[in-house]
Amino acid sequence: LLAPSLSIVSQTVESGVRTLVLRRPLIGASAQHFSFDPKHDVQLDLIVAVGSGPTVVSPHFPHARKGGTTLWLLPHTAAACICAVKPPPFGQARGKLVYKDPLTNSSTSVGFNNVCAKQPRMDTLAQHNPTCDLRTYAGGQLACYHGWSLLDADQ
């Protein structure tokens, strides 16, 4: 077996579902470990199993479930499109802002209806002003909807 190269950042169990947050350097710990190229290795095919031992097929420790899946590596410091279709041009993205009340667990939403006119009427669209597109909107008057309290998740 290879030496472990993952470190556990956090581990939680909620409603019977375990969530692990793991960290590993892009460069493998040895020549036998896989090294990731973040520009090309964004889709990783995995074999996964749930069971009581390290052996996938064993008459003494059969796995309850096993199968395959795909892990997508996305940047955590920048936006990334995960769309199946070509995204609309800047300024034409549509959607809604959803507010989830932490006390009642109810949610309400407001449509994103900002429209930035083209030049020569306005410069905001040509300058890629964040208020022109839902994908870059960072908050403002539209997010200050009646009764909404917008804070970071930590607050």
Side-chain angles (χ1 to χ4, degrees):
L1 291 175
L2 291 175
S5 61
L6 296 173
S7 62
I8 298 174
V9 175
S10 66
Q11 182 176 177
T12 59
V13 178
E14 187 174 318
S15 301
V17 176
R18 180 178 304 278
T19 299
L20 286 171
V21 177
L22 305 171
R23 179 169 285 150
R24 178 199 185 274
L26 292 173
I27 305 301
S30 72
Q32 288 76 37
H33 288 81
F34 186 79
S35 290
F36 296 94
D37 179 350
K39 293 183 181 174
H40 298 99
D41 298 319
V42 295
Q43 177 183 345
L44 302 175
D45 296 321
L46 301 175
I47 298 172
V48 294
V50 176
S52 56
T55 306
V56 175
V57 178
S58 167
H60 304 292
F61 300 104
H63 280 73
R65 287 182 286 161
K66 56 188 174 222
T69 191
T70 301
L71 174 68
W72 291 89
L73 303 178
L74 301 171
H76 69 280
T77 57
C81 181
I82 55 172
C83 310
V85 296
K86 184 178 178 182
F90 183 84
Q92 296 180 20
R94 297 292 172 252
K96 59 185 176 180
L97 300 176
V98 178
Y99 173 74
K100 187 171 184 178
D101 188 317
L103 300 175
T104 64
N105 212 25
S106 64
S107 62
T108 55
S109 64
V110 61
F112 183 83
N113 55 7
N114 288 2
V115 177
C116 295
K118 295 180 181 178
Q119 289 178 323
R121 186 167 178 218
M122 295 176 71
D123 290 329
T124 52
L125 185 60
Q127 295 170 346
H128 280 230
N129 186 299
T131 62
C132 295
D133 196 285
L134 179 61
R135 295 166 290 193
T136 55
Y137 187 70
Q141 191 166 358
L142 180 64
C144 295
Y145 196 67
H146 176 72
W148 289 13
S149 299
L150 275 152
L151 302 170
D152 290 341
D154 302 1
Q155 299 178 352

